[in-house]
Amino acid sequence: MVAFDVDGTLFSSESIIFKTYVQAIEEFASKTGKITSLPSHDQIMNEIGKPVRTIFANLLPDLPESERDLISGRVLDLLCDAIRSGGGDFYAGVGSTIHYLKEKGYTITCASNGRKAYIETVLDTAGVLQYFEPIVVINQDTIHTKGEILAEYVRKYNLEPSSIAMIGDRHSDWEAARQTGCPFGFCTYGHGLPGEIPDFEWKFDDLPTLKQFF
């Protein structure tokens, strides 16, 4: 099995994410008058890649969780609309690399902090959703982390952890792999910071490089 992170690995939402967050927060503020200052660009971008409730708890700590959930739901709708309209950037080789892995007989899925609608919109817009197994996502009930997503794939498919390759660009991807005992493929082209990834089994400077190892 190959389990991909999404943002920073297959797709970059960097060009649309700030605008969607600001729009959703401004809409909420205009309706309720509860928000007097917007998070900065750096504050928002520094949160990207974390679980959604963590992001909004950090950005809007003075709001109750129910209201933060309303804003995050609006962000999700705006993001999916933007992606379907051509916003964001797919990394070169997404389609050909996924097709190659499928032809080679790999089971393909995702391990992402993103919500299901976001992940499926990205994959569908890229034309590769049909190659992916049903995606396990954080549900705030039984699954709270990427590590728990990988553990669920281990259980669901009756696999050894060593037979699931976690492919990603950030420390949370590396951490999930190490917690679960999965080998890790580091995408150097993503959103990671220098020195963020302590070690790896494979290193990819672009997606098509996966074909050299798999």
Side-chain angles (χ1 to χ4, degrees):
M1 176 179 279
V2 180
F4 286 97
D5 173 49
V6 175
D7 221 323
T9 301
L10 301 176
F11 176 77
S12 175
S13 63
E14 198 164 1
S15 63
I16 56 175
I17 197 84
F18 178 68
K19 180 180 178 181
T20 58
Y21 271 66
V22 168
Q23 181 176 337
I25 294 169
E26 284 182 335
E27 287 176 0
F28 178 84
S30 68
K31 288 178 184 175
T32 65
K34 288 191 174 184
I35 301 172
T36 56
S37 63
L38 291 172
S40 70
H41 180 272
D42 286 348
Q43 284 176 310
I44 290 173
M45 297 311 298
N46 287 341
E47 295 297 321
I48 301 309
K50 298 176 184 176
V52 170
R53 283 190 169 165
T54 301
I55 292 173
F56 283 92
N58 291 341
L59 292 177
L60 302 168
D62 295 334
L63 291 181
E65 185 170 83
S66 60
E67 293 183 338
R68 294 198 298 260
D69 286 349
L70 286 174
I71 298 170
S72 72
R74 180 60 175 149
V75 167
L76 179 62
D77 290 343
L78 291 168
L79 267 180
C80 290
D81 287 347
I83 293 163
R84 284 189 286 263
S85 299
D89 300 284
F90 288 95
Y91 292 109
V94 171
S96 63
T97 302
I98 298 300
H99 188 261
Y100 168 85
L101 292 172
K102 193 66 177 179
E103 289 290 299
K104 292 278 285 187
Y106 286 97
T107 301
I108 307 170
T109 191
C110 289
S112 167
N113 283 329
R115 286 168 284 187
K116 190 171 185 178
Y118 170 75
I119 296 167
E120 291 187 344
T121 298
V122 169
L123 299 179
D124 188 42
T125 304
V128 297
L129 180 60
Q130 69 269 27
Y131 299 123
F132 282 73
E133 294 295 306
I135 295 160
V136 175
V137 296
I138 291 171
N139 59 19
Q140 306 297 343
D141 180 19
T142 56
I143 297 174
H144 305 86
T145 66
K146 283 186 188 180
E148 290 175 356
I149 291 173
L150 291 178
E152 177 62 13
Y153 288 134
V154 169
R155 185 201 65 78
K156 184 177 178 182
Y157 292 90
N158 194 29
L159 294 169
E160 292 295 325
S162 59
S163 66
I164 302 178
M166 175 70 210
I167 309 298
D169 64 315
R170 300 304 303 266
H171 188 270
S172 61
D173 304 314
W174 172 87
E175 184 176 52
R178 294 296 178 250
Q179 286 174 347
T180 318
C182 299
F184 178 64
F186 171 36
C187 298
T188 62
Y189 56 82
H191 302 320
L193 303 173
E196 186 172 343
I197 304 301
D199 52 44
F200 48 80
E201 277 63 51
W202 311 281
K203 182 172 75 167
F204 312 116
D205 294 329
D206 55 40
L207 264 175
T209 304
L210 269 75
K211 299 175 189 178
Q212 297 177 18
F213 300 98
F214 290 85

